[in-house]
Amino acid sequence: MDITEKIKQEIQQNPIILYMKGTKEAPQCGFSSHAVYILMQTGVDFETRDVLANPEVRQQLPLVSNWPTFPQLFINGELVGGSDIVNEHFKSGELKRLLAEVA
């Protein structure tokens, strides 16, 4: 399986997945740290993938998602966006609605 198919499979198999720099326990950039913080505040269980540890994913994910930066949050197979959008959705209550729809 090529890396593009692997990424697509991960997105479909994980109801909430955050592609980020670093890990949930040790984010490696402020934007990733903020996205993790927001998700932790919601109390949901979510998966993360460290794009710094896997250069192929870091290179190919923006082509799959059509989103150039990290982090990238996917809920139910759909791209929500990066840290700023996740933050806006959190403040507006939209993130809570999206998370309530998790299969």
Side-chain angles (χ1 to χ4, degrees):
M1 171 181 320
D2 76 354
I3 193 67
T4 299
E5 289 305 313
K6 182 179 181 206
I7 290 168
K8 289 178 180 178
Q9 186 177 51
E10 281 184 339
I11 291 168
Q12 292 305 313
Q13 290 179 345
N14 294 285
I16 306 167
I17 187 166
L18 180 68
Y19 288 88
M20 60 180 285
K21 294 179 180 177
T23 64
K24 195 184 302 190
E25 298 78 19
Q28 297 294 309
C29 83
F31 295 111
S32 291
S33 179
H34 190 64
V36 166
Y37 173 78
I38 289 170
L39 288 171
M40 298 287 261
Q41 295 303 305
T42 68
V44 298
D45 187 32
F46 63 99
E47 293 293 322
T48 61
R49 296 295 181 270
D50 182 359
V51 299
L52 296 177
N54 193 329
E56 285 183 309
V57 172
R58 186 177 185 182
Q59 181 180 29
Q60 289 301 310
L61 182 60
L63 301 174
V64 171
S65 65
N66 200 28
W67 191 266
T69 60
F70 296 98
Q72 293 185 22
L73 176 64
F74 293 83
I75 299 176
N76 285 332
E78 297 293 325
L79 176 67
V80 174
S83 183
D84 291 345
I85 292 174
V86 170
N87 189 47
E88 288 173 19
H89 281 11
F90 180 67
K91 287 179 178 178
S92 73
E94 178 69 10
L95 184 61
K96 184 177 181 179
R97 187 192 65 76
L98 290 171
L99 294 172
E101 295 176 359
V102 169

